[in-house]
Amino acid sequence: MDQQNAKPKRSLLRIVLRNYQVYLLLLPCIIYFALFCYGPMYGLQIAFKNYNTGLGILGSEWAGLKWFQQFLSSGVFWGIFKNTLVLSVYTIIVGFPLPIILALMLNEVRSLRFKKITQTISYAPHFISTVVIVSMITLFLSPSSGVINKIIEAFGGDAVYFMIKPKLFQHIYAFSGIWQHVGWSSIIYLAALTGIDPTLYEAAQMDGASRMRCIWHINLPSLRPVIVISLILSAGGVLGGDFEKILLMQNASIMETADVISTYVYRLGIGMSQFSLSSAIGVFNSVINFIVLLLVNKICRKVGDTSLW
Amino acid sequence: MKTRKSLAALLACIMLMSIFAGCNANGESQSGTPSEESGQVSGVSFNEADFPITDEPTTLTAVMLSQSPNWEYNSDMYIFKKMEELTNVKLEITNIPGEQWWEQLQLMFASNELPDILFVGVGAFINASDVITYANAGQLLPLNDLLEKYAPTYTALTDQYPEKAKLYTPDGNMYGMTALIYPVDGNARPFINQQWAGDLGYEMPETYEDFVELLKAFRDSDPSGQGTIPLSGSAGGNEVDPFVAGPLGMTYGWSNKDTWQVVDGKIVHVTQHPMYEQYLKNMNELYSEKLLDQEYYTQSQSELLAKGAAMRVGAYVHSAHFLFTNSQDPAVYDQYRMPVPFTSEYFDEIACYQDAINPAGIFITSACENPEIAVRYLDYFFTDEAAEWMYGPEDQGDGKGGIEWTEDRTVFKINTDEDSDGAYDYTNRYIAPTNVIIGNYYYSDFSKKLEMALGDQSLTYNQQTYRVPYVKPAAPTLYLSAAEIEQTAMIADAVNTYYAQMESKIVMGEEPLESYADMISHLESLGLNDLVEAYNTAYDRYKSNMN
Amino acid sequence: MQRESNKRKKRVEVFDVVNIVILFFFTLVIAYPLYFVLIASVSAPTAVNSGQVWLWPVNANFNGYSIVMQSAEIWRGYLVTAALTVLGTLINLALTLTGAYALTKTHLPGIRPIMFLFTFTMFFSGGLIPTYLLVSSLGMRDTIWALILPGAVSMYNIILVRTFYRSSIPNELLDAAVIDGCSEIKTLLRVVLPLSKPIVATMALFYGVGHWNQYFQALIYIRDKNLYTLQLVIRNLLLESKNLLNNLVQAGGMGMSQEYLSEVSQRAETLKYAVIVVSTLPVLLVYPLLQKHLVRGIMIGSLKG
């Protein structure tokens, strides 16, 4: 009995020593995460304390789950939670497939020049700052002078005041997000596609496969690991959203769909110095995200063989 | 199995580690007790009444909000040099740009790396709740005794105004000095195009009903020729409430009606004001009859000003008519004139609302070892002599700018150097941080001799003639205590978000006017009554501080 | 035989045509707002804000660009950001490529738990205040290290690189390397990295762009004007007038402040679009340069040999 327990221990150490180079390669990362991520982690306590800046994080007194109780029992919180969820899920559903499709299409283009130009144009919007993006959205969607409404009117319709309709907010947010990021997001898929062995295509063509079939049977499977990982990571951001963009797009009329957790936390935190409360909401947010990530990861592992760990 | 066990063990270790790691984190030093303010002078000599304030040259650290990259406030500026000569106190200044202000402010307190004096700008860029929170934490010093003993000029000036009560927090202390005492100028600045009115045969309206008639004429006759917008504005500084809420008896400030109104000696939320339903009706009428800009609720100020520059707008609220029309030509901007505050069939007082005292903008922190020195130093800014210094030295004719007098030395103007964009920029670059501390700058006798630019003369004339005679005290600024804030922060946010939303929907016709009753009951379900109660307690405290 | 190959060729053609047409329209839709930024940058601000500008510039002028060119702050910001991008990206790559490789060895003890611990930090962080205190106590404030070290590794990227290693580097190659007597580090350097050009190039792009756009860390940790990143300088210029308005409004609004406000808000509006063009252009030019590393054909020869 003793020997059995002793053996694994010794061979564990031996395995580690034998593979010391792997651990050496990992060391810089370990130092980084320990110092910059886990070091400040004690700050999570703010969510469980009555944070007093004079006493510091450690000196402030404990408040237990008081803040959690406060916002969970508030009438408005669940509405905001729902908004956040709906916005993210909608963005993922609509926005996730498009970069993949774009990458697949671009990959098929023979002309290098066309490819380069299209790619450069497609990822250019990613760099424009959010402030300007939102100004442009407001200008284009303006009921009196915006391009979109001018087109609608040219076709005989009535101008629509897009920015004040709560129901339209999610669509505007999602599609402007796609416009801004689809090119950039497709880059990672394009990189994966370049790793495909060209002999596979030759073999498929000799078997008489059409282009579409090649894509379906060769390209997509090779993208699968990246797609799955990206999906899992997106799921982990399900209670996130582009905080700055939403904040700038918000106006009084659409708060019932446009108020999300991050903007709410910002209003309470910076606006009303409620550090502990906003920290508690942040912790809650993270917990949910993390649980979702674990769930989705487990599902993906069961279904395929790719997972995060 | 093995993985899960080692996982759990690792997690537990990490959690424990991080808690202990916190103990070793530097910079988490406690502030301890605030330094006593009963005149203990820790080793530096202190002159209670004469100048210099101390015998040895002393330096005080300060943090100032700098709203422009060109303004690097430093101790070489004219005013600081003069003050140093007089008081033997030098100010070592750290500038924080406006863009970085809010985060850096909170971090300063969180890390306890505080300057002796904190200047948050003339616009008081600090939340009321921040003041309470940090005062509670002992990081802001209470100034009552210090001001009484060592700030005679400041105290004399502020005592003239009962609104001084707004500088007191719930615990009965004053934690900051106001940076600005300014002459009453009417606050809100509404403008109407008098030329169009005249051409169409109308007098400048004095009642709300006449105003609406005029707007209809603007709409129907299109005096601008480009699709006139009778009344325009935008949320966040250019609301139209002086035109609409004022005549119903609601108090308003710069452009927006006050969220908390005083009715029969009690504080109510604006939605509970007896005339609020009428307000909704009126705004709805303006919007649906296309008298109010259809993009009122979403357009940015830039878009509004574009319309202004194109001369398409009949009436608006903005800081100056020459700014709104983007013109230096009196023939253009003087088409607009301020109206007197309107009355209506519901309200027959002619009133606009203003306080002469701004919320506290200068704080002394727990880092200051000699607060009495700081207080005496700051007090001098409120004297007439300092006010004169803030205009700067005379122009030496070397291209560096300066004051230039007329022959008889009764009127002066300020010449600037090449780099500056006008006198204000020049002043803040080289002479005095008037964007941060003003003191007596605007209404000392010396300032009356300043010759203003034409546009400003027109603006001042409008204010003095049509608004100033009718100024009444503004709605009180109320501080909730730390405990009250904690209990009501979420309610306040929910109430204000919901009410703003419903208001915009009712006005734009997305919801019927009858929704008003539902709106009120929903607000009550959010906790409105608790909030109102908290504010009434604060109001009682305010009233007792006024004495 | 001939007919067969003709048929194959035709089918290929139709697909290509459809593909290119769709991509072309897609490009147009994406390109329009970019075009708008370009024409807006040379138009009068009031025209832009009243919706007059949508196909051609209105009241064309180069004021925005001339102000930008003359602004010493912007040039300084460029320098700082360029230095930050190069240095930062090198450090990022060093950490990410090594860490991801080590994390592929899930059969080794401790690797899986460490992976979990690292991923955990993507969701839970101590927040701004403790991180600020840490950076402060390490003496990194107002230095370039405050912009590089916190956030030096993105777990998201490590996961992507690791996925790439696992799926694109065949195990046979790794086994061959072991047989040849290569240590882990040698395997990484001689075998894995040369085959990973696409992902390395992609990571260089991701991290590089991240540094280029970064402003929040500068906002928090940098007070020294000489160390402002480009984005921070730009934000100071653009938002300046908004903050100024609120402050000056309270300042009793004597004429002097109104005049200044008018100058400043005009300048901000004029600059708004020109500044985007100036700050975005360099990045747009980088991708075409990196693209040759993202081209297929790298795997040819490795297996056959």
Side-chain angles (χ1 to χ4, degrees):
Chain A
M1 259 299 161
D2 250 324
Q3 269 206 325
Q4 263 188 329
N5 283 340
K7 248 210 193 133
K9 264 200 197 147
R10 224 188 295 146
S11 59
L12 202 74
L13 194 58
R14 209 185 299 161
I15 296 178
V16 168
L17 284 177
R18 210 158 13 126
N19 292 285
Y20 79 96
Q21 289 208 344
V22 172
Y23 294 98
L24 205 59
L25 285 173
L26 197 50
L27 194 60
C29 280
I30 293 182
I31 296 179
Y32 168 78
F33 279 97
L35 188 59
F36 286 102
C37 297
Y38 282 99
M41 230 357 118
Y42 70 93
L44 281 172
Q45 292 173 47
I46 296 182
F48 302 93
K49 286 191 164 184
N50 289 323
Y51 179 52
N52 177 315
T53 47
L55 301 170
I57 299 179
L58 298 172
S60 304
E61 46 176 67
W62 289 100
L65 295 175
K66 160 170 140 188
W67 302 108
F68 293 91
Q69 275 168 356
Q70 198 182 43
F71 75 79
L72 286 174
S73 62
S74 111
V76 291
F77 181 73
W78 293 106
I80 294 178
F81 183 81
K82 190 184 92 164
N83 286 347
T84 316
L85 210 56
V86 166
L87 204 61
S88 291
V89 172
Y90 181 57
T91 311
I92 293 178
I93 293 179
V94 173
F96 192 76
L98 285 175
I100 301 174
I101 298 177
L102 179 63
L104 288 170
M105 288 173 76
L106 274 173
N107 194 46
E108 297 293 320
V109 172
R110 307 270 185 78
S111 154
L112 199 61
R113 211 149 162 256
F114 183 82
K115 216 171 167 178
K116 257 191 177 168
I117 297 178
T118 309
Q119 270 183 289
T120 310
I121 293 183
S122 76
Y123 76 74
H126 176 82
F127 301 100
I128 303 183
S129 74
T130 315
V131 177
V132 176
I133 295 277
V134 176
S135 314
M136 287 204 284
I137 295 177
T138 316
L139 275 176
F140 291 163
L141 293 178
S142 153
S144 59
S145 53
V147 181
I148 306 282
N149 275 312
K150 285 209 175 111
I151 296 178
I152 294 181
E153 281 172 348
F155 279 100
D158 289 323
V160 180
Y161 198 174
F162 292 95
M163 296 295 275
I164 56 155
K165 309 266 183 204
K167 299 265 166 63
L168 291 182
F169 169 72
Q170 285 131 350
H171 305 294
I172 299 176
Y173 175 80
F175 284 102
S176 59
I178 291 175
W179 170 79
Q180 196 185 1
H181 299 298
V182 70
W184 181 257
S185 309
S186 68
I187 292 183
I188 187 71
Y189 299 115
L190 272 167
L193 284 172
T194 60
I196 298 179
D197 183 359
T199 57
L200 288 172
Y201 291 116
E202 291 166 22
Q205 270 180 3
M206 276 198 271
D207 287 345
S210 71
R211 290 283 278 278
M212 290 298 293
R213 288 209 121 186
C214 281
I215 293 178
W216 188 257
H217 289 288
I218 301 179
N219 294 14
L220 273 179
S222 71
L223 281 180
R224 208 167 68 158
V226 186
I227 292 181
V228 170
I229 297 291
S230 294
L231 190 63
I232 298 178
L233 291 173
S234 297
V238 77
L239 282 187
D242 188 344
F243 158 71
E244 201 189 355
K245 185 170 169 192
I246 299 176
L247 194 65
L248 287 169
M249 286 176 77
Q250 281 178 348
N251 58 70
S253 323
I254 55 174
M255 291 307 264
E256 69 199 49
T257 51
D259 203 8
V260 296
I261 294 182
S262 52
T263 53
Y264 185 61
V265 164
Y266 180 75
R267 274 206 312 276
L268 288 176
I270 297 275
M272 295 174 137
S273 344
Q274 295 292 298
F275 296 117
S276 288
L277 177 59
S278 53
S279 172
I281 300 180
V283 169
F284 175 76
N285 202 349
S286 300
V287 168
I288 302 277
N289 277 339
F290 196 58
I291 293 179
V292 169
L293 179 96
L294 289 176
L295 276 173
V296 176
N297 191 48
K298 212 170 203 169
I299 296 177
C300 286
R301 199 191 307 173
K302 289 256 160 78
V303 169
D305 54 1
T306 330
S307 70
L308 272 183
W309 57 75
Chain B
M1 253 305 275
K2 207 200 247 176
T3 335
R4 224 182 288 162
K5 234 165 121 189
S6 52
L7 205 62
L10 259 163
L11 250 175
C13 282
I14 296 295
M15 291 295 184
L16 276 169
M17 246 193 340
S18 61
I19 294 181
F20 288 122
C23 295
N24 294 329
N26 301 336
E28 270 274 59
S29 51
Q30 317 311 319
S31 67
T33 51
S35 49
E36 281 136 54
E37 28 110 328
S38 52
Q40 141 211 51
V41 180
S42 55
V44 179
S45 74
F46 176 59
N47 210 329
E48 290 203 6
D50 296 321
F51 293 99
I53 298 179
T54 86
D55 293 331
E56 305 97 56
T58 315
T59 308
L60 291 174
T61 54
V63 161
M64 290 190 182
L65 164 62
S66 164
Q67 292 280 31
S68 162
N70 296 322
W71 300 346
E72 290 197 45
Y73 303 130
N74 58 77
S75 54
D76 284 330
M77 291 172 79
Y78 185 70
I79 179 99
F80 292 123
K81 286 211 112 54
K82 295 294 252 189
M83 288 289 288
E84 194 181 334
E85 266 170 40
L86 174 74
T87 63
N88 229 350
V89 174
K90 184 168 154 170
L91 216 53
E92 197 182 286
I93 304 173
T94 308
N95 288 286
I96 298 186
E99 171 63 15
Q100 302 173 262
W101 176 252
W102 287 109
E103 288 85 358
Q104 299 255 2
L105 180 69
Q106 312 290 12
L107 286 172
M108 255 196 301
F109 283 97
S111 61
N112 227 351
E113 287 174 19
L114 299 163
D116 293 324
I117 310 179
L118 175 64
F119 293 87
V120 298
V122 150
F125 275 57
I126 189 170
N127 298 323
S129 50
D130 285 340
V131 175
I132 305 282
T133 309
Y134 298 132
N136 238 25
Q139 291 173 304
L140 293 177
L141 298 183
L143 300 177
N144 317 33
D145 291 342
L146 284 170
L147 288 175
E148 211 179 288
K149 276 195 241 175
Y150 305 118
T153 331
Y154 175 81
T155 314
L157 276 177
T158 52
D159 274 348
Q160 293 173 35
Y161 304 98
E163 310 91 280
K164 176 184 188 168
K166 76 204 265 189
L167 295 172
Y168 286 90
T169 56
D171 59 3
N173 288 327
M174 265 197 300
Y175 285 95
M177 296 167 71
T178 178
L180 170 58
I181 304 171
Y182 56 79
V184 165
D185 65 2
N187 206 1
R189 300 175 194 180
F191 288 94
I192 303 182
N193 195 315
Q194 58 177 338
Q195 188 162 309
W196 292 349
D199 291 342
L200 293 171
Y202 287 83
E203 302 254 324
M204 279 296 270
E206 295 189 359
T207 68
Y208 177 72
E209 291 77 18
D210 287 341
F211 177 61
V212 175
E213 288 306 308
L214 180 59
L215 290 179
K216 289 186 180 157
F218 283 159
R219 175 195 62 192
D220 300 329
S221 316
D222 192 14
S224 74
Q226 312 166 52
T228 309
I229 305 169
L231 177 63
S232 189
S234 86
N238 297 89
E239 292 90 349
V240 296
D241 289 332
F243 289 116
V244 186
L248 291 173
M250 294 193 226
T251 56
Y252 55 92
W254 177 255
S255 58
N256 209 354
K257 58 195 183 306
D258 296 321
T259 313
W260 299 100
Q261 303 271 335
V262 179
V263 173
D264 294 332
K266 291 223 151 279
I267 296 278
V268 295
H269 191 260
V270 65
T271 51
Q272 298 170 316
H273 192 280
M275 286 283 104
Y276 183 70
E277 206 176 347
Q278 186 64 37
Y279 171 79
L280 290 175
K281 279 208 191 99
N282 288 353
M283 286 290 281
N284 177 258
E285 183 197 347
L286 289 174
Y287 192 85
S288 57
E289 308 237 341
K290 307 242 196 293
L291 300 172
L292 175 62
D293 194 335
Q294 304 292 290
E295 292 173 271
Y296 178 67
Y297 284 103
T298 55
Q299 70 182 349
S300 66
Q301 199 187 59
S302 320
E303 287 154 47
L304 173 65
L305 291 178
K307 292 175 181 166
M311 294 297 281
R312 283 177 64 194
V313 179
Y316 57 88
V317 173
H318 192 61
S319 41
H321 45 345
F322 54 86
L323 275 181
F324 190 79
T325 56
N326 195 21
S327 163
Q328 295 296 322
D329 179 6
V332 171
Y333 60 71
D334 272 335
Q335 291 182 35
Y336 292 98
R337 199 206 89 178
M338 286 189 188
V340 296
F342 297 150
T343 59
S344 73
E345 58 175 301
Y346 302 100
F347 182 72
D348 55 10
E349 252 182 82
I350 310 179
C352 54
Y353 307 92
Q354 185 174 33
D355 278 344
I357 293 191
N358 242 34
I362 307 175
F363 299 91
I364 301 183
T365 72
S366 54
C368 186
E369 293 177 342
N370 305 100
E372 56 288 328
I373 295 183
V375 167
R376 284 212 65 209
Y377 182 81
L378 290 168
D379 181 61
Y380 202 74
F381 274 90
F382 291 85
T383 61
D384 282 350
E385 185 172 38
E388 202 177 309
W389 288 340
M390 286 197 228
Y391 285 95
E394 289 198 26
D395 194 344
Q396 307 292 321
D398 54 359
K400 288 200 186 150
I403 291 185
E404 190 185 305
W405 288 96
T406 53
E407 287 272 320
D408 53 3
R409 293 192 78 91
T410 52
V411 169
F412 69 90
K413 63 182 168 109
I414 300 182
N415 293 332
T416 69
D417 67 349
E418 282 192 332
D419 297 328
S420 307
D421 281 323
Y424 194 73
D425 189 30
Y426 168 78
T427 309
N428 273 284
R429 282 195 201 214
Y430 311 112
I431 311 294
T434 57
N435 196 236
V436 159
I437 177 170
I438 291 192
N440 213 358
Y441 183 67
Y442 283 133
Y443 72 99
S444 66
D445 289 329
F446 189 77
S447 71
K448 298 195 168 67
K449 301 182 189 156
L450 171 67
E451 176 198 289
M452 292 188 281
L454 280 179
D456 312 314
Q457 287 182 29
S458 169
L459 179 64
T460 314
Y461 172 77
N462 269 288
Q463 290 170 314
Q464 298 295 326
T465 322
Y466 304 116
R467 308 299 293 186
V468 170
Y470 311 104
V471 166
K472 305 251 172 1
T477 314
L478 301 170
Y479 283 107
L480 297 180
S481 71
E484 285 163 355
I485 294 179
E486 216 178 83
Q487 283 153 11
T488 60
M490 287 184 71
I491 301 178
D493 181 83
V495 160
N496 289 325
T497 309
Y498 179 73
Y499 124 74
Q501 185 173 249
M502 284 309 284
E503 184 178 288
S504 66
K505 282 182 159 185
I506 294 179
V507 167
M508 288 196 281
E510 307 266 321
E511 290 273 341
L513 282 165
E514 295 73 41
S515 321
Y516 173 68
D518 290 329
M519 177 177 160
I520 294 291
S521 59
H522 187 89
L523 283 172
E524 281 170 9
S525 75
L526 288 174
L528 180 62
N529 293 327
D530 292 334
L531 197 54
V532 172
E533 203 183 301
Y535 273 98
N536 270 301
T537 320
Y539 187 48
D540 291 332
R541 282 193 300 257
Y542 177 84
K543 280 189 280 195
S544 65
N545 281 333
M546 285 221 335
N547 310 324
Chain C
M1 261 319 225
Q2 268 271 332
R3 232 183 291 139
E4 253 187 68
S5 59
N6 274 345
K7 241 206 254 172
R8 230 177 290 134
K9 245 195 178 164
K10 231 202 227 158
R11 240 187 274 145
V12 169
E13 289 293 333
V14 168
F15 178 91
D16 278 323
V17 169
V18 170
N19 196 26
I20 295 213
V21 165
I22 299 180
L23 281 176
F24 182 71
F25 277 112
F26 162 80
T27 310
L28 274 183
V29 169
I30 299 265
Y32 174 70
L34 297 174
Y35 173 69
F36 175 81
V37 168
L38 214 55
I39 53 177
S41 68
V42 290
S43 302
T46 46
V48 174
N49 285 320
S50 52
Q52 292 173 40
V53 178
W54 62 284
L55 211 50
W56 316 115
V58 173
N59 293 344
N61 63 77
F62 283 93
N63 296 344
Y65 288 107
S66 77
I67 297 180
V68 167
M69 292 304 171
Q70 291 170 24
S71 159
E73 289 118 26
I74 291 191
W75 290 110
R76 241 191 334 247
Y78 252 125
L79 272 172
V80 171
T81 303
L84 166 66
T85 304
V86 170
L87 190 55
T89 308
L90 286 175
I91 294 184
N92 297 141
L93 286 176
L95 285 169
T96 310
L97 296 172
T98 53
Y101 180 71
L103 288 175
T104 58
K105 310 282 175 190
T106 50
H107 54 277
L108 292 178
I111 294 293
R112 274 218 146 92
I114 290 186
M115 182 86 194
F116 178 84
L117 283 175
F118 283 2
T119 313
F120 187 79
T121 67
M122 282 170 72
F123 299 91
F124 295 96
S125 84
L128 184 57
I129 295 174
T131 315
Y132 178 82
L133 291 172
L134 176 66
V135 169
S136 210
S137 66
L138 289 174
M140 296 198 301
R141 272 229 307 246
D142 268 336
T143 68
I144 205 166
W145 300 108
L147 303 178
I148 297 182
L149 291 180
V153 185
S154 152
M155 190 52 193
Y156 187 87
N157 287 341
I158 288 190
I159 292 178
L160 286 176
V161 175
R162 178 176 173 265
T163 310
F164 184 90
Y165 284 161
R166 278 177 137 188
S167 58
S168 303
I169 313 281
N171 284 323
E172 298 86 49
L173 272 177
L174 297 173
D175 293 337
V178 168
I179 293 175
D180 282 349
C182 276
S183 67
E184 292 287 3
I185 294 185
K186 263 219 182 108
T187 312
L188 176 63
L189 290 176
R190 297 267 176 84
V191 178
V192 176
L193 282 182
L195 292 175
S196 306
K197 283 216 182 108
I199 198 70
V200 172
T202 309
M203 285 299 130
L205 196 59
F206 278 7
Y207 278 122
V209 165
H211 286 302
W212 188 266
N213 282 344
Q214 184 212 77
Y215 90 101
F216 189 71
Q217 266 162 280
L219 186 128
I220 301 288
Y221 297 117
I222 309 288
R223 283 191 194 170
D224 179 0
K225 284 201 162 61
N226 292 319
L227 212 47
Y228 277 0
T229 60
L230 183 61
Q231 293 296 329
L232 194 56
V233 169
I234 290 175
R235 285 193 168 232
N236 274 335
L237 278 174
L238 292 187
L239 291 189
E240 178 189 81
S241 61
K242 187 165 90 162
N243 291 332
L244 207 49
L245 167 68
N246 290 336
N247 209 341
L248 292 176
V249 146
Q250 303 288 336
M254 300 301 272
M256 298 200 294
S257 52
Q258 301 305 335
E259 185 191 329
Y260 180 64
L261 177 59
S262 144
E263 295 278 343
V264 160
S265 48
Q266 287 232 54
R267 199 175 338 129
E269 284 302 312
T270 314
L271 280 177
K272 195 153 101 174
Y273 292 97
V275 134
I276 302 173
V277 174
V278 164
S279 64
T280 311
L281 218 52
V283 196
L284 289 182
L285 298 176
V286 164
Y287 181 78
L289 295 175
L290 276 179
Q291 209 204 21
K292 53 179 179 251
H293 296 292
L294 296 171
V295 163
R296 69 157 88 163
I298 297 169
M299 288 298 290
I300 304 177
S302 49
L303 272 179
K304 293 204 179 140

